[in-house]
């Protein structure tokens, strides 16, 4: 994986905050902090996209003839099988 150098600007308050995290040992430098934020954002956005896709699949599938109880039973069964 290649490295791309970027130049970004922070406010003094943001810079102080980042430096405080580094001082506490949570990050070794500014770049590590920014990369961590991007990784977390990517994960959150993937979760949002997956949820959106699941909602669209549900809408596209139409109305179900299953009862609420049978849906819960199936969900519980599938959850227990994962364990």
């Amino acid at each position: 994986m290649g490295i791309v150098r970027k130049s970004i600007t922070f406010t003094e308050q943001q810079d102080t905050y980042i430096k405080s995290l580094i001082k506490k040992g949570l990050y070794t430098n500014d770049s590590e902090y920014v990369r961590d934020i991007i990784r977390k954002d990517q994960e959150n956005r993937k979760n949002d996209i997956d949820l959106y896709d699941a909602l669209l699949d549900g809408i596209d599938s139409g109305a179900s003839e299953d009862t609420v109880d049978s849906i819960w039973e199936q969900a519980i069964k599938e959850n227990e099988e994962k364990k």
Side-chain angles (χ1 to χ4, degrees), residues 4 12 17 24 30-31 36 53-54 59 76:
V4 177
E12 287 183 25
Y17 175 71
K24 291 177 183 178
D30 296 19
S31 294
D36 186 46
D53 289 344
I59 291 169
I76 291 168

Side-chain angles (χ1 to χ4, degrees), residues 27 31-41:
Y27 300 96
S31 294
E32 184 181 351
Y33 172 68
V34 172
R35 287 190 302 270
D36 186 46
I37 291 171
I38 293 170
R39 277 190 296 274
K40 289 174 182 174
D41 181 62

